[in-house]
Amino acid sequence: MASSNTRHVSINSVFAVLYSKGRFLGFKRGLRNQYEHTALIQLENVNSKEETHFYEGKRVAYLYRAPTAKKGTHIRCIWGRITRPHGNSGTVRAKFRHNLPPSAMGSTVRVMLYPSNI
C-alpha cells in the first residue's frame, strides 16, 4: 500500500500517478520588465515544445508551509493553470489565482493530470 509521503494511490493493487512534478523557474520577463502574473515552470521529463501540449489546461498546485495553522494544518496551496508553452525546451507558462511569491523560485510545484484532454 502507499505510504503518506508518496505520489501514488493504490487502486485494486495498481498504482495510479496523481500528479507530475515541475519546478517554478521565475516570472515571464523581457530585458527590462517582469510580469509577475505569469509564472514559468519547467516540467519533469519534458524536453520539447511538442511534449508540452499534453499539459496545456492542466491544474498546478504550489504547496507551502505557513507559520500559523488554518483549519488544523500549516500547509497551504496556491492553485493555477498551465496556459501555453514557453520556448522550445519543455518550459510552460502558468497563471495562478494569486501570484506566486518570489521566495518560491526554484521550488517544486505539482502538475495535476486533470482535466483530461483525451
Side-chain angles (χ1 to χ4, degrees):
M1 289 298 178
S3 64
S4 62
N5 60 356
T6 62
R7 298 186 295 147
H8 305 358
V9 171
S10 176
I11 302 171
N12 297 333
S13 299
V14 177
F15 287 97
V17 179
L18 297 178
Y19 61 89
S20 64
K21 285 176 154 184
R23 183 145 322 265
F24 171 48
L25 302 177
F27 300 109
K28 184 178 100 165
R29 53 169 298 166
L31 183 62
R32 294 172 182 85
N33 296 326
Q34 176 172 281
Y35 303 97
E36 292 88 3
H37 55 73
T38 303
L40 301 179
I41 297 173
Q42 176 67 53
L43 301 172
E44 188 177 63
N45 300 324
V46 178
N47 299 315
S48 69
K49 181 186 274 190
E50 291 74 29
E51 295 174 3
T52 62
H53 293 302
F54 170 79
Y55 292 95
E56 288 181 18
K58 300 283 192 270
R59 299 189 68 195
V60 184
Y62 167 66
L63 296 169
Y64 63 99
R65 295 183 190 276
T68 57
K70 295 241 179 163
K71 297 182 181 177
T73 180
H74 288 270
I75 298 174
R76 299 198 189 143
C77 180
I78 300 175
W79 285 98
R81 191 174 297 271
I82 294 176
T83 57
R84 55 172 292 181
H86 179 84
N88 296 312
S89 62
T91 304
V92 294
R93 297 181 192 178
K95 291 198 173 235
F96 286 81
R97 290 186 184 165
H98 299 283
N99 295 344
L100 293 181
S103 60
M105 286 185 192
S107 61
T108 303
V109 296
R110 294 181 179 184
V111 180
M112 303 301 172
L113 298 180
Y114 56 83
S116 177
N117 297 327
I118 49 177

